[in-house]
Amino acid sequence: MPMHKEAKIYVAGHRGLVGSAILRRLRAEGYSNIVTRTRQELDLTDQRAVYQFFEAERPEYVFLAAAKVGGILANSTYPADFIRENLLIQTNVIDAAYRYGVKKLLFLGSSCIYPKFAPQPIKEEYLLTGALEPTNEPYAVAKIAGIKMCQAYNKQYGTNFISVMPTNLYGPGDNFDLETSHVLPALIRKFHEAKVAGAPHVVIWGSGTPRREFLHVDDLANACLFLMNNYDSSEIINIGVGEDLTIAELANLIKEIVGYQGEIVFDTTKPDGTPRKLLDVSKIFNLGWRPRIRLEDGIRSTYEWFVRNYNC
Ligand SMILES: NC(=O)C1=CN([C@@H]2O[C@H](COP(=O)(O)OP(=O)(O)OC[C@H]3O[C@@H](n4cnc5c(N)ncnc54)[C@H](OP(=O)(O)O)[C@@H]3O)[C@@H](O)[C@H]2O)C=CC1
Ligand SMILES: C[C@H]1O[C@H](OP(=O)(O)OP(=O)(O)OC[C@H]2O[C@@H](n3cnc4c(=O)[nH]c(N)nc43)[C@H](O)[C@@H]2O)[C@@H](O)[C@@H](O)C1=O
């Protein structure tokens, strides 16, 4: 059953890339009873605080978009933080959702849960059929635990917790820190700063040959609301666009959009990560959902957002 417009909805992680987009979308669609807490107000790794919050607020629906998130370097530098914080946050929120009678919860997984060498495009059924990519294995193991926890609670307690697997995301509100960000915001920043400084070249990590798929976060938010209102299965479901490109192609596209004239240099001492990560999106497409924002348009608007918000 779809959420009614006055339903009490908790968006966990509402200041992040995904949570802020879900909040925008909920407000745009007229949902008026939305609960949020900053990390300062509610640390989701603190079980007691999470139970107290659910007991006091009694949300009917939960979008679980709070997590420890980062790009390839952050994941490989802080594996302990990635597994610990994600296990704690998701365990606390999923368990509290069960204990305090949440009608439906949407858990955000990630495409990195699939085997490193999964056949392409990646179908949902490939989960746990092979070894994971080492640069983000602890994060992926935490996400897989979250999926299994939702499924186990549905089976044992009859809850309605769904798990969605988005591909790589980007958009307004992304993390542009060069040490911890994902590739797309990192390249926007690198090309912009090189243009402003008149630098002769921009360094791209790895060989440029890995392929990635990119989904604008406003499309992702749209998909999350669509699934919250139309999907009631324990089976995981992919969210993507169904097309990918190489990191070198992405770099050239961003270079052109930013208007940078210099060279691109590849630093092959940095990891490539998974060689290819293209999701099979036939399941969500068959339900009637489609992304709307073309990659080039999405990068252009995200670049404009970056320039406005980073004061450069
Ligand atoms: N970005 C991507 O490319 C992809 C993301 N996803 C998934 O989407 C979800 C959201 O990711 P994204 O929006 O990119 O991440 P962000 O880092 O942008 O946002 C994460 C949010 O979680 C909050 N948070 C983190 N730790 C805690 C804590 N201990 N207590 C309370 N709040 C906390 C952060 O709060 P604060 O702002 O205070 O730090 C922030 O609002 C994650 O589950 C991620 O795995 C899936 C696929 C791709
Ligand atoms: C969403 C997903 O995101 C991560 O996996 P990833 O897709 O490998 O992440 P990424 O965006 O950081 O890199 C993609 C590719 O791009 C190359 N690359 C080039 N130059 C830069 C660069 O400047 N920064 C970054 N970060 N990467 C660069 C980089 O070497 C790699 O080949 C995991 O957190 C994983 O857990 C997860 O869920």
Side-chain angles (χ1 to χ4, degrees):
M1 233 187 16
M3 300 183 289
H4 57 94
K5 299 289 173 179
E6 291 77 35
K8 195 167 200 178
I9 304 169
Y10 170 42
V11 181
H14 71 288
R15 291 196 299 188
L17 173 67
V18 170
S20 60
I22 290 176
L23 198 60
R24 281 196 298 279
R25 186 76 205 170
L26 284 167
R27 287 185 174 144
E29 291 198 11
Y31 291 96
S32 54
N33 193 3
I34 303 169
V35 187
T36 58
R37 290 290 186 280
T38 63
R39 186 199 300 229
Q40 288 68 34
E41 291 163 341
L42 174 62
D43 178 357
L44 295 171
T45 64
D46 177 346
Q47 189 182 52
R48 188 183 306 205
V50 173
Y51 286 170
Q52 280 170 354
F53 164 75
F54 272 80
E55 185 169 23
E57 290 292 343
R58 303 265 172 185
E60 293 167 76
Y61 296 90
V62 174
F63 289 89
L64 178 41
K68 170 91 181 157
V69 178
I72 195 164
L73 185 64
N75 263 275
S76 42
T77 314
Y78 307 107
D81 295 348
F82 275 83
I83 191 160
R84 177 184 169 276
E85 291 179 33
N86 284 310
L87 282 174
L88 285 172
I89 293 170
Q90 70 202 30
T91 301
N92 292 341
V93 175
I94 293 168
D95 187 59
Y98 155 62
R99 284 171 192 263
Y100 294 99
V102 165
K103 285 185 185 151
K104 190 163 179 181
L105 173 144
L106 181 146
F107 171 63
L108 278 139
S110 167
S111 56
C112 71
I113 57 146
Y114 292 113
K116 173 171 181 147
F117 297 112
Q120 307 286 322
I122 309 173
K123 292 183 195 298
E124 287 87 351
E125 68 214 45
Y126 299 161
L127 176 63
L128 291 173
T129 56
L132 297 164
E133 155 60 30
T135 53
N136 56 39
E137 190 182 50
Y139 171 80
V141 166
K143 290 283 174 193
I144 294 170
I147 295 167
K148 292 295 165 190
M149 192 163 166
C150 288
Q151 292 173 342
Y153 275 55
N154 290 345
K155 187 171 178 204
Q156 187 175 337
Y157 300 128
T159 48
N160 188 3
F161 296 164
I162 63 170
S163 300
V164 307
M165 301 306 124
T167 192
N168 289 35
L169 305 170
Y170 72 98
D174 210 340
N175 170 16
F176 289 86
D177 179 305
L178 294 180
E179 296 294 310
T180 58
S181 67
H182 292 102
V183 60
L184 198 151
L187 295 194
I188 287 181
R189 180 171 182 166
K190 284 182 179 178
F191 282 115
H192 178 75
E193 290 183 350
K195 181 178 85 170
V196 171
H201 65 260
V202 163
V203 177
I204 309 292
W205 297 349
S207 62
T209 58
R211 301 184 71 88
R212 293 289 183 274
E213 175 188 14
F214 296 95
L215 175 69
H216 192 281
V217 73
D218 286 341
D219 276 334
L220 183 266
N222 183 305
C224 288
L225 263 71
F226 173 79
L227 293 171
M228 189 63 120
N229 284 329
N230 296 288
Y231 186 75
D232 288 315
S233 166
S234 271
E235 299 302 320
I236 62 174
I237 183 162
N238 290 339
I239 311 178
V241 294
E243 286 169 24
D244 64 356
L245 74 174
T246 66
I247 296 301
E249 287 165 344
L250 176 75
N252 277 300
L253 182 58
I254 297 177
K255 176 183 166 183
E256 197 187 305
I257 289 169
V258 170
Y260 173 67
Q261 305 288 338
E263 299 296 318
I264 292 175
V265 173
F266 293 97
D267 175 1
T268 50
T269 65
K270 293 282 195 304
D272 271 344
T274 308
R276 193 174 186 199
K277 208 166 39 162
L278 174 67
L279 293 179
D280 183 319
V281 285
S282 35
K283 191 164 163 179
I284 192 168
F285 276 25
N286 286 339
L287 292 175
W289 178 84
R290 291 285 185 289
R292 295 190 186 136
I293 304 171
R294 288 174 52 242
L295 182 60
E296 195 181 327
D297 298 337
I299 295 175
R300 255 180 228 291
S301 57
T302 304
Y303 177 45
E304 284 162 16
W305 186 94
F306 170 75
V307 171
R308 274 199 311 277
N309 287 275
Y310 280 71
N311 236 348
C312 43

